[in-house]
Amino acid sequence: MADTATFSPSRRLVLTVMGLGAAGFAVGCSAGNTTTAAAGPVTQTALGDYVRIGSDNTITVYLRHIEFGQGVSTGLTTIVAEEIDADWSQMRFEHSPADDAKYGNPAFGGVMGTGGSTAIFSSWAQLRAAGASAREMLRQAAAAKFGVDASDVLLVKGKAEAGGKSASYGELAAEAAKITPPDAARLQYKDATAYEFIGKERDSSKGFGRLDSADKVSARAQYALDYHPEGTLTALLARSPKFGGKVASFDDTAAKAVKGVTDVVQISNGVAVVATDFWAAKKGRDALKITWDDSAAETRSSDQIFADYKKLLAKAGHDARKEGAGAAALRGAGEVITADFEFPYLAHAPMEPLNCVVEYKPGEAAVIHSGSQMPTADKGAAVAVLGLKPEQVSIVTMLAGGSFGRRATQDADLMMEATQIAKAINGKAPLKLMWTREDDIRSGKYRPMALHRMTARLNRDAIEAWGDRTAIQSIMAGTPFMPAGAADLSSIEGGFDIPYAISNITADVHWPTSPVSVLWWRSVGHTHTAYAKEHFFDVAAKKLGKDPVAYRRELLAAHPRLLGVLNLAAEKAGWDTPLPAGKFRGIAVHHSFSSYVAEVAEVSVKDDGTFHVDRVVCAVDCGIVINPDIVRAQMEGGIGYGLSSILGEAVTLKDGAPVQTNFFDYSVMRMAQMPKVEVFIVPSSEPPSGVGEPGVPPIGPAVANALLAATGKTYAKLPLGTKA
Amino acid sequence: MKLTINGKEQEYTGEEDRPLLWYLREDLKLTGTKFGCGVAACGACTVLVDGEPTRACMTPAASLAGKKITTIEGLDTPAGKAVQAAWQELDVVQCGWCQSGQMLAAAALLTATPKPSEQQITDGMNSNICRCATYHRIRGAVARASEIMG
Ligand code: FES
Ligand code: FES
């Protein structure tokens, strides 16, 4: 395999030049799961960086990852609860301050960040240690209090007991905090057979379930958009309709005449209208007249971009993989099949559009409420724009209404815009910058368009050679996430490293550029590589007259974990049993973010050609399972998110501007299209790995393979639409 | 002009065309009603107006004089309580942003149709988008809420 040294899995990168996140203190703000004070103020005692015990006997775990639906508030808290021997009702969570020194993500080179499905695997060792260390401190505090030997103290469900005496953790915390934390190397961990929480099923009768459920069901949960201090001014920004356009001139007479509009200011990304409330800001923005300078803008339409990509594919790109004779083996005896797979730009469209609130006192301080995936990088941007010192800027991380990658940006776009506007109005009031849904769909940071040219040579009853040549914009190039000149193989992750035992493999990639901004979208490169790889595999298998499951088994013999999920999904879906007329099955299996997932889609095709995905059977191997119900939830959600994109989502450009505007034309999945989903988990004692993203990649090709089984056609152009 | 919101009378003096959503969120601090699209396409802003699911993002507050408006903060009907209990029991939520709208739509559905069929659940819930795709659990939770209601 060529160039493996340059391969960096998505976002699990060494951030070489970030340097943005100097240590600093933020005001701890409870997100969602608030501590309810009984009588009098609750005092919190820190036992290490991650665990705080309240005088009300609550245990609060600091999350260095943001909760945006993926369940970290429960998953990470569970790890601590287990080792500290808590009662589940004691557990609370809070987002940690923006501080790389304490809360950096080891998977991101020590910079704080949520992404790449790294939360659990990067925190497992740390949080086990945090829980075990706090437990030993509590044990010693109890021993001193009871006048017994530490080894005689029993810790159960948030209480210490010995010789008929008992004390709650809340009562012991202050004394425990004075004890020197035990040597990390000598910490004792619970045996997995004694687990009370890890790997256990949700049980509502015992109150054991998601920690963020209650506040979200009652709508007490606080998101950035819900933060609205008295006197908040709301800003909407008019951005260039075409990517890369700049403001040439503008006339704000009509905008300023709108009742409630207080300011109109130009910033680097456009012209902002600031008003007393959203509605006034919106009317103000609608009334702006802006002339744009498109000299550096993208002016092509999507068709033109694909045509340009096709031209590129005539030549070899950056060589990413060579097995056997590589590209040369694509010519020769037997039959050569080929197909060009076209993937459109996709918007993340998190349900809560981007927003944040900046409270800025010039020369003094700024407090920023935001649902940030990379709080220290955002803080660095705020520090730079506002000209403050790092210790003068606090980022308060709020719950976020989804993200799917959108809140982890290379250039802190939201934070830049908001702080520039706050600065332009001299911090006269708290400033809330809101993105409308139109802004969200039309202002970029898309999953890049991609063109995969898949080629296979079939000979002697086998795939003898496999080729995958791709043209795609790089997400990483030119950003602090990648050293200059390095090859961005995250663009084709999961494709060039195809695991099938094929004697000749070639994969190469071109990275065309465009002013259109692109970003990691739930499962990143795997969103398209898995589709091209797994669907084209079935196209080849069909030509060879081979069963898709049997042929995969044959070529995955060296990959036990892929085989494990493949076999489990096939078995649970009844792969070898006949289906009623009009129903078809397809399977796909893929490895991403250290996890393994296979999915079988059952699709019915009606006489008029329309199809519906009725049922999806999913098997996942994600190592040790912290919370099986959250694994299932993430698979269900990943399948829905992935299916939504392959059925109906596309941002298409016309003369450089997005055609789609909102949910009525950027078509996302609704309940009627959601299949029944069954999730099965492969038992494992491997370290825990991600579940936020790995459910997404297999669903597209599983559906395409079912359609292939129905019609014999190759489904190479996405989205698929409604007809087979 | 007087609006009744969660059983309480409010005096609305704002702009004629200002959507109810922003009056609820910005003025009354009832932030449980969410913004998702602003064009009646997602259901995140669903409230009940005289029991009918209504898009607060496209409904001028000034058009609701004399009507009874229920938001998630005031959802205390039998169906509403059953829905919230079922949502919690099944851990439906992921990011949670769409869920106020989902629960109000479900409560309206179950009030009109206490024993919905699968198809009726889909029809009743289909205009509410969940980008986290919790649809699978929402289906289950609506059915469970119907059971809880007895
Ligand atoms: S915000 Fe009203 S329907 Fe989307
Ligand atoms: S739970 Fe996130 S949008 Fe529905």
Side-chain angles (χ1 to χ4, degrees), chain A residues 202 210 213 216-217 223 225-226 259 277-278 349 437 629 633 636 649 662 669-672 674, chain B residues 15 17 22 25-26 34 36-37 41 84 89 91 94-95 97 103 118 126 131 135-137 139:
Chain A
R202 165 167 58 80
R210 278 186 80 113
S213 248
K216 286 178 176 175
V217 167
Y223 303 77
L225 195 64
D226 300 334
K259 192 175 157 200
D277 64 280
F278 172 85
R437 180 60 60 197
D629 196 53
E636 291 158 12
E649 291 179 37
N662 202 315
M669 193 174 76
R670 294 164 188 272
M671 186 179 278
M674 182 75 188
Chain B
E15 296 289 295
D17 59 349
W22 305 106
R25 291 185 55 86
E26 296 175 334
K34 302 304 193 195
C37 69
Q84 283 175 303
E89 188 182 316
D91 272 354
Q94 289 191 25
C95 84
W97 192 255
M103 289 185 282
E118 248 184 70
N126 207 44
R131 199 61 181 131
Y135 300 120
H136 182 72
R137 289 190 188 212
R139 265 187 208 136

Side-chain angles (χ1 to χ4, degrees), chain A residues 255-340:
Chain A
K256 280 184 162 159
V258 171
K259 192 175 157 200
V261 170
T262 61
D263 304 84
V264 177
V265 297
Q266 185 178 348
I267 63 164
S268 61
N269 267 3
V271 180
V273 175
V274 183
T276 50
D277 64 280
F278 172 85
W279 195 240
K282 181 177 179 319
K283 288 201 279 191
R285 184 172 71 171
D286 290 348
L288 273 180
K289 290 192 188 67
I290 305 176
T291 311
W292 299 97
D293 167 6
D294 288 338
S295 53
E298 176 63 84
T299 52
R300 292 174 295 172
S301 299
S302 290
D303 289 348
Q304 182 61 49
I305 295 175
F306 274 129
D308 290 348
Y309 284 11
K310 286 207 186 225
K311 276 189 218 142
L312 269 182
L313 293 195
K315 288 207 196 98
H318 173 91
D319 196 6
R321 173 103 183 253
K322 185 182 176 193
E323 294 292 335
L330 291 173
R331 293 180 301 272
E335 183 185 1
V336 176
I337 57 170
T338 187
D340 281 0

Side-chain angles (χ1 to χ4, degrees), chain A residues 351 663, chain B residues 21 34-46 55-58:
Chain A
M351 211 64 209
F663 284 134
Chain B
L21 173 63
K34 302 304 193 195
F35 167 65
C37 69
V39 297
C42 79
C45 66
T46 304
R55 303 290 184 242
C57 68
M58 291 276 272

